[in-house]
Amino acid sequence: MHELSIALSIVDLAAEEAERRGVKVNAVHLRLGPLAGVVKDALLFSYDLACEGTPLDKSRLIIEEVPVMVHCSRCETDREPISLQDLRCSVCGDPTYEIVQGREMEIAALEVE
Amino acid sequence: MMSGPRLVEVRQKFLKQNDLLARALREWFRRAGVYVVSLVSSPGSGKTAFLERTLHDFARRHSVAALVGDLATENDAQRLRRSGARVRQITTGTVCHLDAAMIERALEDWRLEELDFLFIENVGNLVCPASYDLGEELRFVLMSVTEGEDKPLKYPTIFNTADVTVLTKIDLATAVEFDLEAAKETIRAVRPGMLIFEVSAKTGAGMIECWRYLEERRNEARAGSALSA
Ligand SMILES: Nc1nc2c(ncn2[C@@H]2O[C@H](COP(=O)(O)OP(=O)(O)OP(=O)(O)O)[C@@H](O)[C@H]2O)c(=O)[nH]1
Ligand SMILES: [Mg+2]
Ligand SMILES: [Zn+2]
């Protein structure tokens, strides 16, 4: 499980950003893709631990799950695949070779006061 | 002045440090002309066995070295050192994956210019290594025939961060009634077009095809960097 180390780095980044802006963080908004290799529940659990004793103590973690998108060359556009286990275009059924979205792991925003 | 809660946009990748360092490593590897390949798999799929044979035989034609990640022991590094190749252990302790900083530290005093290939054995784990770029040029995901055909369905992410699948322990395929075609179909459902090698580190079957592929890729990479230089 590497979610704790990831949670720690999120807390670090957010604390740094908060200090620079002179604000207090109430919540951290993440964008997380299913192909990031990070388990959402484990991250939520680790986050509370990671916050303890930091300026982010008692802050919330809000995770927006970003869907996987692939480029379909037959449809000539980005589509959702059938599933993570079946990377074919959900519209025309062609196999797709390029993942254009779904690896995201980023802090999108901070809720501050 | 007091103000109520508000949302400020940040947009920070949270493994940015690792990504930046991995990018720097990749540039270093390219300048030095060393082709770097990492191996990921479940515990026991045969990474060390694959490397033992590779360091032993492939090393007749190329200058080859390896880094080996392991939670606690030096065993894998000791096995690999018997080949005579340069091998360094990275003991990760409680950390279940290698990251770019560990690679950088392990290579600090190496002269990469002297190497043609560097192999990196990641910690046996199909989840955590997926998030960490190590600066490698190619990532092999190994899957042994004893693990069943549906591994890719359970761990699609690692198959999607890898470039090549290596089906290992192929000498045991018949004994465990491994369905090769079903396995390939599953791999290519998760990752359309993925290149698949079938090897046995025990008998040596299929290893030459792997090495030939690595030689081709390295030549391509060198031709590419000569053009851009
Ligand atoms: N029959 C057979 N056994 C193999 C083959 N490759 C590996 N093994 C056996 O599988 C076991 C595990 O192999 P390792 O090479 O240690 O696997 P690993 O992926 O390095 O394991 P970890 O580092 O612990 O994750 C050992 O007992 C090997 O002898 C093979 O090609 N054929
Ligand atoms: Mg090993
Ligand atoms: Zn389509």
Side-chain angles (χ1 to χ4, degrees), chain B residues 20 22 84 141-142 188 215 224:
Chain B
L20 290 176
V141 57
L142 277 63
R188 291 191 175 125
E215 285 175 337

Side-chain angles (χ1 to χ4, degrees), chain B residues 41-49 76 79 121 124 169 171-172 200-202:
Chain B
S41 79
S42 326
S45 298
K47 299 179 294 299
T48 306
D76 286 1
R79 274 165 68 190
E121 175 177 338
K169 311 190 192 180
D171 56 293
L172 300 176
S200 166
K202 188 171 181 189

Side-chain angles (χ1 to χ4, degrees), chain A residues 25-26 35 54 67 87 93 102 106 111:
Chain A
V25 177
N26 292 338
L35 294 174
T54 78
L87 279 200
E106 59 188 30
E111 199 183 297

Side-chain angles (χ1 to χ4, degrees), chain B residues 159-174:
Chain B
F159 281 83
N160 261 305
T161 66
D163 304 288
V164 172
T165 299
V166 182
L167 292 172
T168 59
K169 311 190 192 180
I170 216 78
D171 56 293
L172 300 176
T174 318

Side-chain angles (χ1 to χ4, degrees), chain A residues 69-89:
Chain A
M69 297 291 283
V70 290
H71 185 77
C72 175
S73 35
R74 175 173 332 190
C75 297
E76 297 186 328
T77 185
D78 295 346
R79 298 277 196 208
E80 280 195 46
I82 293 173
S83 73
L84 266 188
Q85 285 81 13
D86 189 351
L87 279 200
R88 284 178 298 157
C89 170

Side-chain angles (χ1 to χ4, degrees), chain B:
Chain B
M1 193 192 79
M2 291 290 290
S3 61
R6 63 190 194 281
L7 211 58
V8 294
E9 205 176 304
V10 177
R11 291 216 155 242
Q12 276 256 32
K13 288 195 178 145
F14 44 82
L15 288 180
K16 197 173 78 185
Q17 293 299 335
N18 189 77
D19 288 347
L20 290 176
L21 187 52
R23 203 177 303 160
L25 285 175
R26 190 168 284 116
E27 279 166 22
W28 182 31
F29 298 153
R30 285 182 183 165
R31 269 199 315 277
V34 56
Y35 198 79
V36 181
V37 183
S38 79
L39 273 56
V40 295
S41 79
S42 326
S45 298
K47 299 179 294 299
T48 306
F50 179 91
L51 286 183
E52 276 180 303
R53 204 171 252 280
T54 301
L55 293 191
H56 189 268
D57 294 359
F58 196 42
R60 297 199 186 126
R61 296 159 56 97
H62 299 284
S63 160
V64 178
L67 298 179
V68 192
D70 195 280
L71 293 173
T73 73
E74 276 265 349
N75 298 350
D76 286 1
Q78 275 161 12
R79 274 165 68 190
L80 293 176
R81 279 193 197 108
R82 285 183 212 133
S83 67
R86 183 156 197 193
V87 176
R88 182 164 288 172
Q89 175 81 40
I90 303 176
T91 308
T92 59
T94 57
V95 182
C96 46
H97 58 269
L98 294 175
D99 64 28
M102 298 179 199
I103 303 298
E104 187 190 36
R105 274 198 302 276
L107 294 175
E108 239 166 25
D109 54 347
W110 286 36
R111 292 180 45 80
L112 290 181
E113 294 73 18
E114 291 165 4
L115 291 178
D116 298 328
F117 290 92
L118 172 68
F119 292 91
I120 304 175
E121 175 177 338
N122 214 319
V123 180
N125 182 328
L126 279 180
V127 182
C128 308
S131 312
Y132 296 85
D133 185 357
L134 304 179
E136 71 269 62
E137 211 67 57
L138 275 184
R139 185 177 289 184
F140 281 11
V141 57
L142 277 63
M143 168 179 146
S144 69
V145 300
T146 55
E147 293 170 64
E149 296 85 7
D150 63 348
K151 266 281 152 79
L153 298 180
K154 296 178 184 161
Y155 302 95
T157 300
I158 196 85
F159 281 83
N160 261 305
T161 66
D163 304 288
V164 172
T165 299
V166 182
L167 292 172
T168 59
K169 311 190 192 180
I170 216 78
D171 56 293
L172 300 176
T174 318
V176 298
E177 296 181 15
F178 185 73
D179 186 338
L180 192 58
E181 286 318 305
K184 287 185 179 175
E185 205 170 292
T186 311
I187 292 163
R188 291 191 175 125
V190 169
R191 184 70 188 276
M194 195 173 210
L195 186 61
I196 302 170
F197 289 108
E198 300 153 34
V199 309
S200 166
K202 188 171 181 189
T203 66
M207 296 295 296
I208 289 176
E209 285 76 5
C210 266
W211 299 332
R212 210 170 275 150
Y213 172 73
L214 290 177
E215 285 175 337
E216 276 166 23
R217 293 301 303 261
R218 177 165 184 267
N219 290 341
E220 265 171 40
R222 290 171 69 86
S225 63
L227 282 181
S228 66

